Amino acid sequence: FVGHPLNRAYWTLLYVLMAAAIIYWRFWVPFYRSMKVNLKVEKVVVEGPGVVSVIMKGKHLDTLNAQGGQFFGWRFLSKGHFLMSHPYSLSAAPTEKHLRITVKDLGDHSRSLAFLKPGTRVFVEGPYGAFTAGRSTQPHVVLVGGGVGITPIRALMDELKGGVQMDVLFRASKEEDLVLKKEMDYIAANSDGSIRVHYLVGPRKNHPMDAKSLKALVPQFADSDIYICGPEPLVSAVRKAAEDLGVPKNRFHDEAFAFHKE
C-alpha cells in the first residue's frame, strides 16, 4: 500500500500542514505582533569595548508578555540582519514603550549592530526562556553573571526589586568588561541596602567559585535562590558549589552560553 494514492495524499497533507504551521508560527505570528507594536531602533549606545546596547521603542509592548531574564529572536530590517533571527537576552526589564538588548562583539552580526540606524524596524520572535523572577521562592536571591552574561542578570535586578534581598556577583577578566556597571551601582545605591553588588575582577585563581569562597562572600548562599548566566565553566563551578552547600535543584536557575564566531 506504499504507493497507494490515498497513502500519498495522506503524507502530502501532513507535509502541507507542517509547512503551514512553520510559516504561521515562525513568520506570520512574529510579523503580525511586530507590526502591531511598531518596534523600531531608538538609539545605539556604546557600553564598552566591543559592547553596545540597542534601545528599541514601540507601543503597547506589555502585550508581548516579556519579562526580564528572557530572550527574543531579533531581526532588524537592515542589510545582513533580516534573513536570520539571532537570540539576545533583554538587558533591562521591558516597559510599555522600550526594550533593550546589550550585545558583545562575537562575530559579524553582533559587531554590525553598532551601525544600526535610528528608525530601523525590528521584528521579534518570542519571548523565550524560563530564566525569570517568578521562579524565585526565597527572600534572598544570589545573581551571578559572567562577562556579557550579566545582561539577563541586570534585567532580573529590575524584576526582583521590592522586598527581595539580593547579592549580585559580576565575574569579569578586566575592569573594562564590567558593562552596565554604572547603572548597577545606581540601583544598588538606591535600594536601602537590600542590593549588594560584588565585582570579581581578574584571573580565575583569584576568585574561586567553590562552596567555601561563595559562602564567605555571601553567608546566606545556601538559603537563597541562585540565578546564574555565563560561560559553561562558570555555571558548572557555581552549580557544584550550590550542590555542596545543599541548595535544592529547584532553587538553582541557570543560563549557559558558549562564545562562538558567527
Side-chain angles (χ1 to χ4, degrees), residues 43-61:
K43 60 181 177 179
V44 177
V45 179
V46 176
E47 302 287 2
V51 180
V52 298
S53 286
V54 181
I55 300 169
M56 293 153 281
K57 186 176 182 179
K59 59 183 181 181
H60 309 304
L61 297 182

Side-chain angles (χ1 to χ4, degrees), residues 22-260:
I22 292 173
I23 291 171
Y24 180 78
W25 290 109
R26 290 297 306 274
F27 296 99
W28 170 248
V29 171
F31 175 80
Y32 174 77
R33 296 178 75 194
S34 299
M35 293 299 291
K36 184 178 179 180
V37 299
N38 196 32
L39 192 62
K40 297 179 180 179
V41 173
E42 183 174 71
K43 60 181 177 179
V44 177
V45 179
V46 176
E47 302 287 2
V51 180
V52 298
S53 286
V54 181
I55 300 169
M56 293 153 281
K57 186 176 182 179
K59 59 183 181 181
H60 309 304
L61 297 182
D62 54 316
T63 62
L64 295 175
N65 296 317
Q67 301 176 58
Q70 292 185 305
F71 65 94
F72 284 88
W74 304 89
R75 297 175 191 265
F76 299 91
L77 194 55
S78 178
K79 183 179 179 181
H81 290 275
F82 185 69
L83 294 180
M84 185 176 294
S85 172
H86 288 264
Y88 297 118
S89 296
L90 296 171
S91 61
T95 69
E96 186 177 346
K97 293 185 178 180
H98 288 92
L99 297 178
R100 186 184 75 175
I101 57 175
T102 301
V103 181
K104 184 179 178 63
D105 174 4
L106 296 176
D108 291 342
H109 182 273
S110 51
R111 183 181 306 122
S112 60
L113 290 178
F115 304 102
L116 287 174
K117 302 296 184 184
T120 300
R121 187 172 288 279
V122 185
F123 296 89
V124 293
E125 300 169 28
Y128 301 119
F131 194 66
T132 57
R135 300 180 68 185
S136 174
T137 61
Q138 303 302 304
H140 185 268
V141 175
V142 178
L143 305 174
V144 186
V148 76
I150 198 66
T151 55
I153 297 298
R154 163 64 188 86
L156 282 172
M157 291 175 69
D158 290 333
E159 301 281 8
L160 289 163
K161 284 190 301 187
V164 176
Q165 299 285 318
M166 277 183 265
D167 276 279
V168 183
L169 282 56
F170 191 167
R171 180 75 183 89
S173 299
K174 307 182 292 293
E175 288 283 344
E176 61 201 57
D177 293 331
L178 297 175
V179 297
L180 308 177
K181 181 179 185 298
K182 288 184 179 180
E183 59 190 67
M184 293 173 67
D185 288 341
Y186 178 83
I187 292 172
N190 289 275
S191 68
D192 296 323
S194 63
I195 301 175
R196 295 168 292 276
V197 182
H198 312 265
Y199 298 107
L200 311 178
V201 182
R204 293 181 184 178
K205 64 180 181 180
N206 292 357
H207 301 286
M209 305 299 281
D210 55 23
K212 180 180 179 181
S213 301
L214 289 173
K215 186 175 181 179
L217 188 62
V218 184
Q220 312 98 307
F221 191 94
D223 300 314
S224 307
D225 267 285
I226 315 299
Y227 288 81
I228 176 167
C229 182
E232 179 55 42
L234 175 65
V235 174
S236 295
V238 176
R239 182 186 292 112
K240 176 66 164 55
E243 291 172 352
D244 291 345
L245 291 171
V247 177
K249 290 183 178 180
N250 67 340
R251 286 202 270 116
F252 187 88
H253 320 290
D254 66 294
E255 285 281 322
F257 61 84
F259 289 109
H260 62 280

